[in-house]
Amino acid sequence: QVRLVQSGGGSVQAGGSLTLSCGRISTHRQKYMAWFRQAPGKEREGVATIYTTSNATRYADSVKGRFTISQDIIQNVVYLQMNSLAPEDTGTYYCAADSGNRGYKVWETRWHLPETFTSWGQGTQVTVSS
């Protein structure tokens, strides 16, 4: 069983930065984790992901070069550093973790799909004003 607790987020002007944190409480290690976001009236979309054993990362095209996902293995925390924020980055951001049962190939090809993940954080609002 995995419990994810998010912190961070808030309101910022365009061009600003925010950092999201996701603390993981689990009886076993997850192979990969991700950040998703959902804007009103839109589907949940994958933003960034990290393969925890190798530190490999992937990003949505819309955030490449601006967002960075990282982890603190000792503290069991995953971060999303968001720079150069734009109004289109506005939405509710969710931390997600896998079950630990799937391998690298699933992560590599399906990390951007919500159904790939089995545990979710409570969500945190990010609002970027122009």
Side-chain angles (χ1 to χ4, degrees):
Q1 190 171 1
V2 181
R3 183 183 174 205
L4 303 176
V5 180
Q6 297 179 219
S7 60
S11 298
V12 67
Q13 288 192 327
S17 299
L18 287 171
T19 301
L20 306 181
S21 301
C22 176
R24 183 173 74 244
I25 303 170
S26 175
T27 56
H28 62 281
R29 188 173 183 179
Q30 281 63 52
K31 289 184 181 176
Y32 42 91
M33 297 187 65
W35 287 96
F36 282 74
R37 68 185 179 190
Q38 189 166 19
K42 294 190 176 181
E43 293 186 351
R44 192 169 296 189
E45 62 171 349
V47 174
T49 184
I50 187 166
Y51 201 82
T52 61
T53 55
S54 69
N55 258 349
T57 58
R58 298 288 187 273
Y59 296 92
D61 288 342
S62 59
V63 306
K64 276 181 185 176
R66 300 188 299 122
F67 290 13
T68 302
I69 187 170
S70 62
Q71 63 174 340
D72 182 329
I73 295 176
I74 296 175
Q75 298 293 330
N76 275 340
V77 179
V78 173
Y79 301 97
L80 184 68
Q81 175 66 42
M82 304 183 292
N83 298 327
S84 301
L85 284 161
E88 51 265 35
D89 295 316
T90 294
T92 302
Y93 283 69
Y94 296 91
C95 174
D98 80 307
S99 63
N101 297 326
R102 299 182 180 180
Y104 185 86
K105 195 165 186 178
V106 171
W107 172 75
E108 195 173 36
T109 58
R110 302 178 64 81
W111 73 266
H112 58 292
L113 301 174
E115 55 263 35
T116 300
F117 297 85
T118 55
S119 300
W120 294 86
Q122 78 275 21
T124 186
Q125 180 66 33
V126 170
T127 303
V128 185
S129 57
S130 57

